[in-house]
Amino acid sequence: EGAEAKDVAQGIIEQIYDMHGKDDVKTALLQSLGEVVEKRARGEKVGFMNVITQLQAHEEKNIKSAGDLLYEMTQNSVLQLVFSYGNTKALDLDEKVNVLQIEGLDLPNEEDDPRYYTDSERKSLCLMLPLAKFCEKFGSKDKDEETAEIFDEAWMITRARGGKKLTKSARRVGRSYNNALIFVTQSVSDVQNEDDKGNFGV
């Protein structure tokens, strides 16, 4: 909701579309995001695809082309988990149990140079942003309620750049909000990290 939704959405777009030196496209994108977030807050059925549709309908050629490219990138790909017209059931922080199952992620290793990420790797990183935000919001929703996030096949997340960021923020939430982060994996070496020195609850 609100500024958080806009920030995460902008981060998702920036993973798959290079806006460096394209101030006109970035301005149009941010304006469109703001409008769609406001419509959503008013109860209208809108989603991330409405932002792209607005860009496609823009009178400026550069902005329209950016919208067309983003549209093509989101079709028949893993990005359809993030981009919709608001007609799919959203994740609910009030549900007792949420199961998020994403198959076929192609996450880059931490040491890989972002300049050489494949389209598949960029799209997979896009999914990590809303996943990280959801885990953070879920874990910090209520200090008096015990919560847990369980990551199956944790090696895939802990070895990737976006995944490491996700697990690091989830661990920090755990200490102050009575939240447990649980890794399911075949080796303890999958979850060792030299950056993590302490300050964890569970």
Side-chain angles (χ1 to χ4, degrees):
E1 294 178 355
E4 282 184 320
K6 191 173 178 180
D7 289 345
V8 172
Q10 182 183 344
I12 289 170
I13 293 284
E14 287 174 350
Q15 284 292 336
I16 56 172
Y17 183 83
D18 182 10
M19 285 190 274
H20 185 69
K22 300 175 185 173
D23 289 350
D24 54 346
V25 174
K26 189 169 187 175
T27 301
L29 171 72
L30 293 175
Q31 288 172 343
S32 180
L33 276 173
E35 290 172 20
V36 170
V37 167
E38 282 180 27
K39 286 179 181 178
R40 181 97 175 201
R42 291 196 301 266
E44 294 184 42
K45 188 182 271 191
V46 291
F48 212 166
M49 281 303 295
N50 294 96
V51 173
I52 292 177
T53 303
Q54 285 184 12
L55 295 178
Q56 286 182 293
H58 206 280
E59 55 191 28
E60 283 191 38
K61 186 179 177 183
N62 286 352
I63 296 169
K64 184 186 182 316
S65 294
D68 290 341
L69 175 61
L70 287 167
Y71 178 83
E72 293 301 326
M73 291 177 83
T74 58
Q75 298 308 293
N76 301 315
S77 82
V78 71
L79 290 181
Q80 287 184 306
L81 292 170
V82 180
F83 290 85
S84 78
Y85 289 101
N87 47 14
T88 53
K89 187 176 183 293
L91 296 172
D92 189 350
L93 288 170
D94 295 321
E95 288 288 336
K96 191 173 181 73
V97 176
N98 286 285
V99 178
L100 310 178
Q101 189 171 358
I102 305 171
E103 194 171 338
L105 282 184
D106 182 19
L107 292 167
N109 291 320
E110 188 179 25
E111 63 274 6
D112 292 350
D113 189 331
R115 293 176 299 173
Y116 304 115
Y117 287 172
T118 64
D119 279 351
S120 175
E121 288 172 335
R122 290 183 189 282
K123 289 176 181 180
S124 295
L125 284 172
C126 281
L127 294 178
M128 297 305 290
L129 293 172
L131 178 61
K133 182 53 74 172
F134 176 78
C135 289
E136 178 190 320
K137 297 289 282 182
F138 180 79
S140 62
K141 186 171 179 282
D142 186 350
K143 281 189 173 186
D144 298 323
E145 186 173 14
E146 293 183 356
T147 54
E149 286 98 28
I150 304 170
F151 288 100
D152 196 11
E153 298 296 344
W155 63 269
M156 191 171 80
I157 289 178
T158 57
R159 298 246 174 108
R161 181 186 298 264
K164 283 196 171 184
K165 197 170 183 181
L166 161 65
T167 57
K168 197 170 191 175
S169 69
R171 285 174 174 176
R172 303 277 150 101
V173 165
R175 179 170 171 259
S176 51
Y177 285 93
N178 210 11
N179 173 260
L181 179 64
I182 302 168
F183 292 120
V184 180
T185 186
Q186 289 81 23
S187 170
V188 291
S189 63
D190 290 340
V191 293
Q192 288 177 340
N193 189 333
E194 290 182 9
D195 294 336
D196 298 326
K197 306 295 185 192
N199 291 325
F200 301 127
V202 179

